[in-house]
Amino acid sequence: MAESLKGKFKKKCQEMGIPLVGFAPVDRWENPPPELPHQFEEWIPEEFWPQSIYPEAKTVIVIGLPVQLPILDTAPSIYYHELYHTINRLLDEKAYLLSNYLTREGYPSIYLPRDGYGDIEVLLKKPLAFFSHKHAAYLAGLGSIGWNNVLLTPEYGPRVRFTSIFTTASLEGDPIRGNDLCTRCLSCAKSCPVHALATKKEENFPPPMEKMNCANRSRKLRKKYLSPCGICIKVCPVGEDRVVFDREDTSIYFQEENFEKYHRAWEHVRKYGSKK
Ligand code: B12
Ligand code: SF4
Ligand code: SF4
């Protein structure tokens, strides 16, 4: 019964144009599966677990939508700014509709917003949301944490945004693939304009991040309609999307010669629709 519900749900996601879906029983927050790619010294505090937020929850379903790489290539730009908002809106809407679908099937369910903060000013004081989708996607077997502190997936590397649904249906968890996808190339850290990511390999994994440097940059960019920054997810070599969009060679970001046509296009986009 529960299995067939999972099958029907996945079919519905396919029809709604959602390429990534993962299932994590809530007990994975309490007992993280040993086959996960990383074990963390510091784990998610209990009040952030799904069963603490919605005590009836049995399974967390995570959905992911891709960040289209050639648009991200122009970032920071109005083009990525618009894409970011489009994906955010779609994630919220799709999760809301899917949770209603499960409720109608007899399993009361609720959606979560893809972010859950009022404004970047709030994050400058406390850079936390009441529920972490990155950790939910990790526990649903969708990928591994990268040096850049976000989830890398085989399909899109870090270029994917998530949201989650809490459902009272007990659905089988997806297998944990267990692969650590990060190559430790450190392109993300070396490209960060505000040094928010560690640049020395011997530091702990995942390395500590200067979240305030990143949040402050986002705040400044927002005033020019250029937020978010996105550079550390743009330059990452991981992800099948690089093959799909013919962007496997990441020197496109670091060398102008041989790639003039791309650099010209990015400069053009950056000239319009935002403040200098
Ligand atoms: C706050 C926030 C930010 C802040 C702070 C950054 C951060 N990484 O926490 C700012 C504004 C800087 C930011 C920037 C970006 N973000 Co952001 N952000 C969030 C938000 C709203 C909450 C994150 C959160 O609470 N995480 C929990 C913290 C504490 O996780 P952590 O630091 O890794 O925790 C570790 C330890 O500290 C310990 N721990 C200790 N205490 C606690 C407490 C809790 C609650 C947990 C869970 C763990 C924990 O456990 C962990 C062990 O590794 C989420 C949306 C959401 N609701 O999930 C998006 C989210 C994480 N962001 C996302 C993205 C894509 C970005 C940007 C790329 C946006 C951009 N610029 O284009 C940048 C990337 C910056 C970077 N390299 O991390 C995506 C990530 C998708 C993915 N593929 O993983 C998310 C999930 C949004 C979404 N809906 O998809 N973000
Ligand atoms: S989003 Fe930009 S500022 Fe933030 S960590 Fe990534 S590269 Fe650095
Ligand atoms: S850019 Fe390199 S070091 Fe950074 S997350 Fe991607 S693979 Fe890992």
Side-chain angles (χ1 to χ4, degrees):
M1 172 68 182
E3 253 333 277
S4 79
L5 179 65
K6 184 172 172 180
K8 280 200 281 184
F9 185 88
K10 285 171 82 165
K11 193 158 161 256
K12 200 146 183 71
C13 288
Q14 217 170 14
E15 286 161 10
M16 289 169 76
I18 302 168
L20 285 192
V21 190
F23 297 77
V26 297
D27 60 12
R28 286 189 181 176
W29 272 257
E30 193 171 349
N31 300 303
E35 61 274 29
L36 283 165
H38 331 277
Q39 300 295 328
F40 298 104
E41 273 175 34
E42 213 187 345
W43 186 236
I44 307 168
E46 192 174 341
E47 63 269 29
F48 294 89
W49 296 356
Q51 58 272 52
S52 305
I53 299 166
Y54 182 41
E56 296 87 347
K58 296 282 186 299
T59 312
V60 176
I61 307 174
V62 184
I63 61 170
L65 293 180
V67 176
Q68 298 174 346
L69 179 55
I71 299 180
L72 179 64
D73 277 347
T74 68
S77 71
I78 188 70
Y79 204 176
Y80 176 48
H81 174 90
E82 296 279 12
L83 174 67
Y84 172 85
H85 290 293
T86 300
I87 299 172
N88 283 349
R89 199 172 54 242
L90 286 170
L91 278 171
D92 287 358
E93 285 175 5
K94 286 176 194 287
Y96 172 76
L97 293 173
L98 284 166
S99 63
N100 287 346
Y101 163 74
L102 291 169
T103 303
R104 279 199 311 275
E105 288 288 306
Y107 299 93
S109 304
I110 52 175
Y111 97 113
L112 285 109
R114 86 284 159 182
D115 276 322
Y117 61 86
D119 190 85
I120 193 80
E121 305 294 336
V122 180
L123 291 185
L124 284 167
K125 296 206 171 67
K126 198 194 280 181
L128 274 181
F130 68 87
F131 183 72
S132 168
H133 301 302
K134 174 179 78 180
H135 290 83
Y138 180 61
L139 290 170
L142 289 174
S144 69
I145 312 276
W147 190 271
N148 56 9
N149 195 42
V150 296
L151 197 88
L152 310 186
T153 62
E155 296 83 358
Y156 306 106
R159 291 167 293 276
V160 53
R161 297 184 64 76
F162 299 110
T163 199
S164 311
I165 293 160
F166 292 165
T167 180
T168 55
S170 294
L171 301 168
E172 194 189 334
D174 278 336
I176 307 288
R177 288 177 273 195
N179 303 337
D180 183 350
L181 300 169
C182 178
T183 65
R184 315 289 199 270
C185 67
L186 302 201
S187 291
C188 51
K190 289 179 192 153
S191 309
C192 175
V194 291
H195 312 289
L197 303 166
T199 48
K200 283 204 193 92
K201 270 197 191 169
E202 61 272 18
E203 292 186 49
N204 291 342
F205 191 84
M209 185 190 160
E210 296 293 341
K211 291 181 187 176
M212 291 309 158
N213 293 10
C214 178
N216 262 314
R217 174 164 162 79
S218 196
R219 181 168 167 258
K220 283 187 190 141
L221 288 173
R222 192 192 54 171
K223 290 189 179 145
K224 303 190 229 171
Y225 309 104
L226 281 171
S227 64
C229 156
I231 293 175
C232 58
I233 62 170
K234 154 167 92 175
V235 300
C236 180
V238 179
E240 279 298 309
D241 61 337
R242 299 215 83 92
V243 181
V244 172
F245 284 109
D246 195 17
R247 295 285 197 283
E248 283 165 277
D249 185 354
T250 52
S251 52
I252 187 175
Y253 306 116
F254 309 112
Q255 284 174 20
E256 188 122 11
E257 68 271 18
N258 307 324
F259 300 111
E260 290 96 345
K261 64 179 176 187
Y262 298 111
H263 287 258
R264 246 197 328 266
W266 303 340
E267 285 312 315
H268 168 74
V269 170
R270 287 174 194 149
K271 273 188 207 149
Y272 298 91
S274 52
K275 292 186 193 165
K276 279 270 164 240

